[in-house]
Amino acid sequence: MLNIITIPAFDDNYIWLIHQEENNNCVVVDPGDDEPVMEVLNKLQLNLEAILITHHHPDHTGGVKQLVAATGASVYGPANEDIKELDYRLSEKDTVNLDKSALSFSVFDVPGHTKGHIAYLTEDALFSGDSLFAGGCGRIFEGTAEQMYQSLTKLSLLPADTRIYCAHEYTEGNLNFALAVEPENNDLVDRINEVKKKRANGQSTVPSLMHVEHATNPFLRSQQKSVMKVAESRLGKVPSSEIETFSSIRSWKDSF
Ligand SMILES: [Zn+2]
C-alpha cells in the first residue's frame, strides 16, 4: 500500500513524500525546502532513497543540495533542464526503479510551464508538478500554448481514478477562474463549495481526481461548447482549433 504524505512548504507549495507501508525507505518529489522534509524524515524514522524533480524552479529544487548532504539520496529530474544536482536525467518513457523503497515511477514529458518539465506516475498517483493543477494548469513561462495543451491532453488520458498530486495549493483561485469561464457548470459549482469548505477548515484540496478535472478544469475542456463560446468572444472569431481555444483561455487566466 502506498502512503503519500503531504509536506507543506513556503506559502502554498506541497512536497510529496512517498513510501510503501511497512517500508522505511522513501522518496520525495520537488523539495523546494529541506527543513520540513528533514523534520518528517526524523519524526517518522524514514530513510530518503531518492529525490524526484519535475522542473528547475527554485521552489521545487531549493532543498535538494542540503537533503543530499544529509541523506545521500540520489537525484532524478528532467533531462532537458539545467539542474546541477541531478544524478539521473529522465525523459518520456523512462522508468525509475528504486530497490530499497520498492517503488517504480514512469516518466512523462509535459513541457509548457518550463521547456523540460516532466511528471511521474506510480500506481494511481500522478505527480504533476506545475503542469496540471487541481482546477487549472501552470503558467506558460518557457514553452508554447500548443506544448502545454499537448502535455495536458497526454495526462488527461490517464485513468479516470488517477489521483493528481500537484505542487501548489492553488485550487480555490483556479476554480474561481473556472467559474468565470463556465458559470453554468453544476459540477464546478459543487466543487467550489466543497473546496471553500475545506480551505476554511485549513484542509488541503490536493490530491484531486482525473474525472473531477475532466468535469471542472477549463484547461481540459477546450472541446466543450461552453468553453469554445468564451474563447470566441475573447478572440472576436470562432477558434480554429482546440489549441486556439485553450490558448485564449490560458491568456485570460494570466490577467484574471
Ligand atoms: Zn514552477
Side-chain angles (χ1 to χ4, degrees):
M1 255 291 272
L2 274 189
N3 187 19
I4 301 176
I5 296 168
T6 311
I7 306 178
F10 311 120
D11 288 340
D12 52 31
N13 280 71
Y14 289 131
I15 301 166
W16 302 108
L17 185 148
I18 309 146
H19 72 111
Q20 299 280 10
E21 244 162 90
E22 314 288 324
N23 185 324
N24 64 355
N25 294 287
C26 71
V27 167
V28 290
V29 181
D30 284 352
D33 192 1
D34 57 305
E35 277 178 28
V37 176
M38 286 307 301
E39 247 171 62
V40 175
L41 293 176
N42 290 331
K43 191 171 145 209
L44 302 179
Q45 292 291 296
L46 294 169
N47 166 55
L48 185 63
E49 183 179 12
I51 296 168
L52 308 182
I53 298 171
T54 62
H55 68 291
H56 68 84
H57 286 157
D59 61 319
H60 299 251
T61 56
V64 173
K65 202 172 152 195
Q66 295 86 333
L67 286 172
V68 170
T71 66
S74 303
V75 185
Y76 297 77
N80 295 322
E81 294 196 355
D82 188 21
I83 303 169
K84 60 178 181 312
E85 292 92 354
L86 293 191
D87 298 307
Y88 300 94
R89 309 177 73 87
L90 306 169
S91 51
E92 183 87 12
K93 295 203 168 82
D94 280 339
T95 305
V96 178
N97 288 310
L98 300 166
D99 293 338
K100 289 191 206 156
S101 52
L103 292 167
S104 167
F105 296 85
S106 36
V107 175
F108 299 90
D109 283 336
V110 286
H113 177 68
T114 60
K115 70 176 173 14
H117 198 303
I118 58 176
Y120 299 88
L121 180 74
T122 185
E123 299 183 18
D124 66 346
L126 174 71
F127 299 90
S128 58
D130 290 355
S131 60
L132 177 60
F133 282 129
C137 73
R139 201 178 265 258
I140 298 167
F141 283 123
E142 296 173 11
T144 63
E146 178 164 2
Q147 279 178 324
M148 185 59 119
Y149 172 82
Q150 304 294 1
S151 296
L152 297 178
T153 301
K154 184 191 295 184
L155 297 179
S156 77
L157 297 173
L158 291 169
D161 58 357
T162 303
R163 293 179 290 165
I164 300 156
Y165 292 85
C166 54
H168 288 276
E169 178 62 62
Y170 286 164
T171 317
E172 191 172 353
N174 284 340
L175 294 179
N176 285 334
F177 173 73
L179 193 65
V181 178
E182 288 191 287
E184 285 166 18
N185 180 337
N186 291 328
D187 291 331
L188 178 57
V189 173
D190 291 346
R191 186 179 185 190
I192 290 181
N193 291 333
E194 202 180 299
V195 160
K196 281 195 193 308
K197 245 183 245 162
K198 277 193 172 170
R199 295 307 294 152
N201 294 325
Q203 287 174 275
S204 166
T205 65
V206 182
S208 106
L209 288 164
M210 192 62 81
H211 68 83
V212 173
E213 297 308 320
H214 278 290
T216 57
N217 185 333
F219 298 108
L220 298 186
R221 294 173 57 78
S222 299
Q223 76 289 5
Q224 297 291 325
K225 283 213 172 70
S226 49
V227 179
M228 286 164 64
K229 271 259 170 310
V230 173
E232 182 180 339
S233 75
R234 296 198 63 83
L235 292 164
K237 68 175 182 74
V238 177
S240 60
S241 63
E242 285 180 21
I243 293 167
E244 196 173 22
T245 299
F246 170 82
S247 175
S248 82
I249 301 295
R250 184 55 258 185
S251 320
W252 182 18
K253 173 73 163 63
D254 290 344
S255 60
F256 186 72

